[in-house]
């Protein structure tokens, strides 16, 4: 497959990666346009197919993410997504029907979210990556409701944790730690209360750790981790945690690392049995859509993840470097400046 060519391949200049682009709703299309502009400046060639999906499309003709569309998406090397969701659609419909369906159906079992910066009130920088399990936990939707709307209503919502699902996530975190300077992994959970799921996570973590004698390990309860994110974020290198804890913790990670406008993510299928999906952590922000003020950095950094995963290491590093020094201005001005820096450094 063309996309498997790497920088070491002499024919690299001819490698064209086939990318499905879902601009989505609100600021999604605006920030994705800048991300694509910046990738173009890096010299990496993308063959882009736009998919009109999201809340607006759903309101128009009812399509959220049909099976034929999903089958189309499977043919691509990667998916770049802006943001989906609009206030005109009830919560849960687009999230479950599009975003979570993609994560589950494409088996994007790792949600990788890096955070670097100097937190509020901190003097020293932090630099850590949260590895969030992305296909299990409460997100599976186990549970149900009985006698809804009556005084006798019963609602249950379970958390699904499989030995296979937990192990592949934990293993990914250890392998990632091995590539980093500190070689340190922290398991974050709530083993003192969620004793069934917590026990599976802890035992799996301890067992996998034995295979990585060079990796130093730690454990924090989720509530304590929230304090450390604010008061002592330098303690972290790689964090591994379940789907829901990871969701909450990564918003806090964004808040202490320059804001959600710069928080990027990679939804990965490391086995590469299909495309992985790359998206900013932020949502569609309908309140600022169309005003040209959205920060495209999170989308640009998500494109950097994508380039890294496609083997375009040099271009990916150039994108990341270009985003280190802050830029201000409109969405387009920020994109232009980052593109200029990338071009100059490649
Ligand atoms: C995220 C988002 C999603 C999640 C929502 C939109 C379903 O908050 O990617 O963090 O909860 O995973
Ligand atoms: Mn979230």
């Amino acid at each position: 497959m063309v996309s498997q060519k790497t920088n070491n391949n002499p024919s690299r200049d001819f490698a064209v990666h086939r990318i499905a682009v879902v601009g989505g709703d609100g600021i999604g299309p605006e920030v994705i346009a800048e991300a694509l502009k910046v990738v173009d400046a890096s010299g990496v060639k993308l063959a882009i197919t736009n998919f009109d999906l999201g809340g607006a499309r759903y309101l128009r003709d009812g399509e959220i993410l049909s099976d034929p569309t999903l089958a189309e998406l499977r043919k691509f090397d990667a998916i770049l997504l802006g943001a989906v969701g609009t206030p005109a659609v009830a919560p849960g419909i687009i999230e479950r029907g599009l975003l979570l369906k993609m994560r589950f159906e494409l088996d994007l079992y790792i949600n990788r979210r890096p955070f670097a910066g100097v937190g509020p009130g901190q003097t020293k920088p932090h630099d850590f990556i949260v590895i969030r399990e992305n296909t299990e936990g409460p997100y599976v939707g186990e549970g149900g409701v009985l006698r809804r709307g009556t005084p006798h209503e019963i609602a249950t919502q379970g958390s699904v944790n499989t030995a296979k699902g937990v192990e592949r996530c934990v293993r990914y975190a250890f392998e990632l730690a091995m590539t980093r300077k500190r070689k340190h992994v922290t398991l974050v959970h709530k083993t003192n209360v969620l004793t069934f799921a917590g026990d599976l996570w802890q035992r799996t973590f301890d067992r996998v750790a034995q295979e990585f004698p060079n990796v130093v390990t730690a454990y924090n309860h989720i509530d304590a981790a929230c304090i450390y994110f604010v008061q002592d974020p330098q303690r972290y290198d790689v964090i591994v945690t379940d789907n829901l804890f990871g969701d909450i913790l990564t918003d806090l990670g964004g808040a202490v690392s320059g804001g959600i406008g710069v928080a990027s993510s990679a939804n990965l299928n490391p086995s590469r049995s299909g495309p992985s999906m790359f998206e900013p952590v932020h949502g569609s922000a309908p309140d600022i859509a169309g005003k040209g003020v959205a920060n495209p950095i999170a989308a640009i950094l998500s494109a950097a993840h994508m380039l890294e995963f496609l083997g375009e290491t040099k271009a990916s590093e150039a994108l990341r470097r270009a985003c280190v020094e802050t830029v201000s201005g409109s969405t387009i001005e920020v994109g232009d400046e980052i593109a200029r820096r990338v071009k100059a450094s490649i």
Side-chain angles (χ1 to χ4, degrees):
M1 220 159 79
V2 198
S3 65
Q4 282 164 356
K5 286 178 184 165
T6 67
N7 282 340
N8 302 327
N9 190 320
S11 59
R12 180 230 162 282
D13 285 349
F14 304 103
V16 175
H17 306 288
R18 300 173 63 250
I19 308 299
V21 172
V22 180
D25 300 307
I27 60 170
E30 299 168 42
V31 295
I32 288 300
E34 300 313 308
L36 292 173
K37 181 195 285 176
V38 170
V39 173
D40 195 50
S42 79
V44 171
K45 298 275 175 284
L46 303 181
I48 284 162
T49 305
N50 281 295
F51 283 76
D52 176 14
L53 295 170
R57 168 76 191 270
Y58 171 65
L59 288 173
R60 220 167 51 241
D61 67 7
E63 157 108 13
I64 304 177
L65 177 59
S66 65
D67 290 339
T69 306
L70 192 59
E72 275 302 304
L73 288 175
R74 282 185 202 280
K75 298 179 192 157
F76 288 83
D77 298 323
I79 302 164
L80 186 62
L81 187 143
V84 290
T86 143
V89 179
I93 295 179
I94 304 297
E95 289 87 339
R96 260 204 181 279
L98 202 162
L99 203 56
L100 300 187
K101 185 167 177 181
M102 251 187 219
R103 289 179 184 170
F104 290 134
E105 294 293 327
L106 300 175
D107 205 19
L108 308 177
Y109 62 88
I110 296 297
N111 196 326
R112 175 173 168 154
R113 296 182 164 177
F115 299 99
V118 180
Q122 295 290 313
T123 50
K124 290 196 212 115
H126 60 265
D127 179 0
F128 59 83
I129 301 187
V130 177
I131 299 303
R132 162 186 176 188
E133 201 293 319
N134 213 28
T135 55
E136 299 195 340
Y139 278 70
V140 168
E142 189 208 6
V145 63
L146 262 182
R147 300 190 281 269
R148 189 167 174 276
T150 75
H152 304 286
E153 178 164 346
I154 300 169
T156 64
Q157 194 95 50
S159 172
V160 174
N161 299 261
T162 69
K164 177 189 162 190
V166 174
E167 170 159 352
R168 65 185 182 173
C169 178
V170 165
R171 191 170 288 285
Y172 182 90
F174 275 91
E175 282 165 3
L176 173 63
M178 284 299 288
T179 68
R180 291 171 61 89
K181 215 165 107 231
R182 280 182 59 198
K183 301 186 175 30
H184 186 285
V185 186
T186 306
L187 171 65
V188 169
H189 208 281
K190 185 76 184 173
T191 55
N192 54 343
V193 174
L194 305 182
T195 49
F196 309 126
D199 182 45
L200 176 59
W201 275 87
Q202 183 77 67
R203 273 185 292 117
T204 307
F205 185 80
D206 294 344
R207 195 182 64 247
V208 173
Q210 287 174 13
E211 296 173 38
F212 295 85
N214 296 330
V215 176
V216 180
T217 61
Y219 171 81
N220 291 153
H221 291 319
I222 179 68
D223 44 353
C226 290
I227 295 180
Y228 296 139
F229 262 44
V230 175
Q231 295 188 348
D232 182 27
Q234 299 85 4
R235 71 169 53 211
Y236 295 119
D237 180 23
V238 175
I239 291 171
V240 63
T241 190
D242 91 346
N243 206 341
L244 184 57
F245 293 145
D247 175 48
I248 299 164
L249 205 52
T250 52
D251 267 22
L252 185 53
V256 299
S257 312
I260 209 79
V262 299
S264 62
S265 79
N267 295 261
L268 302 176
N269 174 342
S271 75
R272 295 177 189 260
S273 61
S276 290
M277 188 265 274
F278 302 82
E279 54 164 346
V281 175
H282 64 68
S284 56
D287 50 327
I288 58 162
K291 296 188 176 153
V293 297
N295 189 349
I297 297 289
I300 294 170
L301 289 172
S302 300
H305 280 286
M306 181 177 81
L307 293 179
E308 183 185 343
F309 201 69
L310 293 171
E312 300 285 359
T313 319
K314 219 173 122 229
S316 159
E317 281 165 6
L319 260 65
R320 288 194 173 120
R321 262 197 322 271
C323 292
V324 171
E325 203 189 308
T326 35
V327 201
S328 51
S330 69
T331 309
I332 292 178
E333 282 164 356
V334 173
D336 284 348
E337 171 59 14
I338 301 291
R340 192 195 59 75
R341 291 180 188 174
V342 166
K343 210 167 196 153
S345 80
I346 221 81

